[in-house]
Amino acid sequence: MIDVLPQKAAARGPLVHARIAAMLLGTIVTIGAFAVTGDAQAAPGENVSVARQLGSRVGPIIGSALACRDIARPRIQAIIEKFQLVIREAATSEADRDELTRLLDRYVAEGRTLVTSGRMDCRGADRQLADLEQSIAAPPAARANLPGVTIAPSAAVAATAPAQILPPVVETRGVTQNDIKFGMVIPHSGPVKESGRQLKIGVEAAFNRVNEAGGVNGRVLKLVTADDGYDPARTLDAMKQLYEKEQVFGFVCNFGSATAAVAIPYALERRALFFAPYTGANVVRHDPPDRYVFNYRPSYAEETDALVRYLVKVRKLNPRQIVVFAQNDAFGDAGFAGVSKAFRTLGANENAIVRVNYPRNSIEVDDAISQLRLLKAPVRAVIMLATTRAAAKFIEKARDVFPGAVFANISAVDGSALASELMLLGPRYTDNVIVTQTVPGVSGYSSLVLDYKNALAKYFPGETADYMSLEGYVSASILIEGLKRAGQSFDTEKLVETLETMGNVDLGLGAQLGFGRSEHQASHKIWGTALDERGNYQPLELD
C-alpha cells in the first residue's frame, strides 16, 4: 500500500521516485475534499504520515532543481505550491503543518547538496523534475497503471485541477505571488556605518538561507535598505523612500533609538510592521505595546540593571564609585534611566549618579574625561552608553587616568567591533572591559549560532562572526518563523495576530523566545562577556 511505496521504490531510480511522488501528491490533495464530504478513509495522523513520505521524495527533487540556475524557477515553484496545498489538506493542526514544512526544508537542502557536492549533475536534476511534472500532468488512466499504486480517479483529477493548486493571494503591499519585500533604515554613512552594515549582513544571511530552501510558503524574502546616517533628521525621508517608493510590506531591524522615535509614528500611522529595531529604548516598549511594534532584544534598562548589580553585588563596588558615560540623546537617556532605576532598587541614591556626555554621531570624549578628573571620589567603574568608536576612544584616553577601572558596556556598542578597535591599540586596553550581550557568544555552539556561522560563510565569505550581524540573523529568523505560521495568504493584521500567539519558540538559541498580546518583546535573556588579552570574549557570570 501507500505507506510502503517509498521503501519499495528505493532501488528503481529517479523516474519511479518522481512518479510515486506525483501519485502520492495526487492522493493527498484529495484528502481535504473527502474530509468535507465525510468520505475520508484515512485518519488525520495517517494523512500526516503519508505527507512526510511525500516530502522525503519531492523535497530532494525540488532542492536539486533549485541548485541549478538554468532550470526555470516557475517550474519549481509550481511543485512547491502543490506540496504547500498537500500540507494544508493533510495536517489538521498548526504543529503538524510546522513539522511538515520543516521536513520539506530539510529534504530540499539535502537535494541541493546532491548537486553542490557533485553527486548529481544538473542534467539529472532537470530530468527528475521533468519526470515529476509529466507524472502529475499524466491522464488518470496512465497514473492508475503505475506499478503498485491504486488511486481513485477523483484523486487524479484533483491533482491536476488548477483551481486547487494555487491558493488565493491577498492584495497586500509588498507581497506578490513570488516575494515579500521588507525595508530597513540603517546608517550606510557616518561613524556608525559599520554597525549598519553588520546588521544588514545578519538579516540578509537569514533571508538567503530560507530563500535557498524555497522561500517562505513559496515566496522569497527581499530586503531593501535606506540610509539615514544615524541622523533622526534624515530618518523620515528614508522611511518614506522605502514605504512609498519601494512599497515595502514592513520594516525590520531599523537602527537606533533617536531614529526610532521618528520612524515609529510614521509606521504606526500606516499600520506597517516595525519588527526588531536595534534599540533597547522605551520608545519601542510602550505598555500596552504598540500593535505593530515587536522587539527581539531586552531593553537597555534590563542591561544596565544587570551591570549595576554585577558591579555592586559581585565586584563589591560602592555605588558612589560608579559613573555613567553616555551619548547625549534618547539612547543615552534610556540607558541612564535604567541605571537610575537599578540604583533605586538597590537602595542607593540615584541623585548622586555622575553622568558625563559626548555628542551623538561623534567621538568627542575629551570633555567627558576632563569632568571625571574633577571628581573627589575615585572612579572604579564606568557604565558606558556609547557606540563603538566613541567607546573605544573613551577607553583609550581613560585607561591611564583611571587605572584599574572597569569599563562596562551595553550591547549597543557592538562587542565585536569594540574588540577590534581596542586590539588595534594593544592588549592592555582590553583589560577590565565587559559587555552585556543580547545574543549568545559568537564562538559558541548553540544550534542557531552554528546555523548563523554556516550562512555567513556561505553567503558572505570573508566576513567574521559578529555580535551585531548575529542579532540581525536571530531577529530575521524569528520573523521568518512568524511568516511561516501566518500561511500563504496573509496581511499585516494576520501576521500581527500570528506573532502574538508565538509563545515558547525554540530556535536553538539556548533561550526560549516568544510574544503575547501584552508582550511584544521576544527575549529577556542577557549574556555577560569579558574581553581577554587576545581580544576574545569570555563568558562572565553577572550574578
Side-chain angles (χ1 to χ4, degrees):
M1 300 303 291
I2 286 180
D3 61 340
V4 297
L5 282 176
Q7 287 78 10
K8 287 184 177 180
R12 300 184 190 172
L15 175 60
V16 176
H17 285 178
R19 288 186 176 177
I20 289 175
M23 292 308 304
L24 287 171
L25 189 62
T27 302
I28 299 173
V29 163
T30 62
I31 288 172
F34 283 145
V36 171
T37 61
D39 293 331
Q41 296 180 354
E46 294 173 349
N47 295 339
V48 172
S49 177
V50 175
R52 290 193 193 102
Q53 296 171 25
L54 174 62
S56 72
R57 295 301 169 189
V58 174
I61 296 173
I62 294 172
S64 58
L66 284 169
C68 299
R69 294 185 177 181
D70 292 337
I71 297 179
R73 287 308 184 258
R75 295 174 58 197
I76 308 170
Q77 183 64 28
I79 304 300
I80 293 172
E81 288 167 351
K82 273 185 173 288
F83 194 80
Q84 289 167 349
L85 180 58
V86 166
I87 291 175
R88 289 196 298 276
E89 300 295 354
T92 58
S93 72
E94 186 174 298
D96 286 339
R97 287 192 291 272
D98 288 344
E99 179 203 356
L100 291 174
T101 300
R102 290 178 184 276
L103 280 174
L104 180 65
D105 288 346
R106 191 181 78 189
Y107 289 126
V108 167
E110 290 175 0
R112 279 185 174 278
T113 303
L114 288 175
V115 174
T116 58
S117 65
R119 287 177 287 168
M120 176 185 288
D121 58 24
C122 285
R123 182 177 299 177
D126 186 82
R127 186 165 55 249
Q128 278 200 5
L129 184 65
D131 290 340
L132 181 54
E133 292 169 325
Q134 194 172 24
S135 296
I136 292 173
R143 282 205 216 109
N145 291 329
L146 282 175
V149 177
T150 302
I151 187 168
S154 58
V157 173
T160 56
Q164 290 181 312
I165 295 172
L166 296 177
V169 177
V170 176
E171 292 287 340
T172 302
R173 170 191 292 270
V175 180
T176 71
Q177 180 70 34
N178 300 314
D179 58 60
I180 309 171
K181 186 189 295 185
F182 286 95
M184 184 179 187
V185 178
I186 52 175
H188 285 303
S189 56
V192 294
K193 64 181 180 181
E194 177 62 15
S195 295
R197 189 182 77 86
Q198 288 293 338
L199 201 58
K200 177 174 179 283
I201 284 174
V203 174
E204 288 188 325
F207 279 13
N208 289 345
R209 187 169 182 269
V210 74
N211 288 343
E212 189 172 4
V216 176
N217 298 323
R219 295 184 177 98
V220 298
L221 302 183
K222 294 183 177 179
L223 183 68
V224 185
T225 63
D227 176 27
D228 68 355
Y230 193 47
D231 180 355
R234 297 170 55 189
T235 300
L236 185 58
D237 286 341
M239 291 287 287
K240 288 180 178 179
Q241 175 187 335
L242 293 176
Y243 190 79
E244 297 172 14
K245 181 179 178 181
E246 298 291 344
Q247 296 282 303
V248 299
F249 171 77
F251 301 90
V252 57
C253 289
N254 278 26
F255 183 91
S257 301
T259 53
V262 175
I264 286 178
Y266 180 85
L268 292 179
E269 286 174 6
R270 287 151 186 81
R271 298 183 179 182
L273 183 71
F274 198 80
F275 193 85
Y278 192 86
T279 173
N282 288 336
V283 68
V284 297
R285 289 170 174 80
H286 292 155
D287 185 16
D290 293 318
R291 176 169 174 77
Y292 304 101
V293 178
F294 288 82
N295 297 290
Y296 157 68
R297 61 179 10 252
S299 67
Y300 293 148
E302 291 174 286
E303 289 192 74
T304 51
D305 179 75
L307 284 176
V308 170
R309 289 180 179 276
Y310 167 75
L311 294 171
V312 175
K313 298 288 189 181
V314 179
R315 297 295 288 259
K316 306 298 183 183
L317 298 185
N318 188 313
R320 289 178 298 177
Q321 299 172 326
I322 302 172
V323 300
V324 175
F325 169 68
Q327 186 164 279
N328 194 16
D329 70 347
F331 161 45
D333 293 344
F336 185 74
V339 174
S340 298
K341 182 178 178 181
F343 269 55
R344 291 196 303 270
T345 302
L346 293 174
N349 181 10
E350 63 177 298
N351 295 321
I353 305 171
V354 174
R355 170 180 173 173
V356 293
N357 298 317
Y358 76 96
R360 75 183 321 277
N361 249 350
S362 79
I363 56 173
E364 298 172 17
V365 303
D366 289 342
D367 186 54
I369 291 177
S370 296
Q371 291 179 53
L372 293 179
R373 283 177 180 269
L374 301 176
L375 296 179
K376 294 180 180 180
V379 174
R380 299 288 305 281
V382 184
I383 294 179
M384 304 180 64
L385 312 168
T387 53
T388 305
R389 294 183 61 200
K393 180 61 69 174
F394 181 89
I395 293 172
E396 175 189 2
K397 297 202 169 189
R399 172 62 71 194
D400 294 327
V401 178
F402 311 111
V406 178
F407 298 96
N409 301 263
I410 62 174
S411 60
V413 75
D414 184 0
S416 303
L418 178 64
S420 298
E421 292 271 353
L422 294 178
M423 285 303 293
L424 290 175
L425 300 173
R428 79 185 188 94
Y429 289 94
T430 67
D431 186 42
N432 266 336
V433 173
I434 65 177
V435 181
T436 51
Q437 310 286 3
T438 59
V439 290
V442 295
S443 60
Y445 298 97
S446 65
S447 59
L448 191 135
V449 170
L450 293 177
D451 287 345
Y452 152 75
K453 288 192 282 190
N454 288 335
L456 200 65
K458 184 171 188 177
Y459 304 115
F460 297 95
E463 292 287 346
T464 58
D466 182 282
Y467 282 94
M468 186 77 71
S469 63
L470 175 55
E471 180 164 334
Y473 186 88
V474 172
S475 298
S477 297
I478 300 170
L479 176 59
I480 288 167
E481 180 66 19
L483 290 167
K484 287 181 178 179
R485 297 189 185 193
Q488 175 77 11
S489 298
F490 73 96
D491 57 13
T492 303
E493 301 303 325
K494 183 175 181 181
L495 179 57
V496 167
E497 291 169 4
T498 301
L499 291 171
E500 289 185 335
T501 61
M502 283 175 52
N504 298 321
V505 177
D506 185 0
L507 295 181
L509 193 64
Q512 289 291 321
L513 309 174
F515 299 113
R517 290 192 180 278
S518 60
E519 173 63 279
H520 280 198
Q521 179 174 302
S523 174
H524 294 273
K525 172 69 174 177
I526 295 170
W527 287 264
T529 60
L531 270 176
D532 62 21
E533 61 183 8
R534 299 183 304 279
N536 299 320
Y537 284 99
Q538 302 301 327
L540 178 70
E541 291 296 330
L542 294 173
D543 49 26

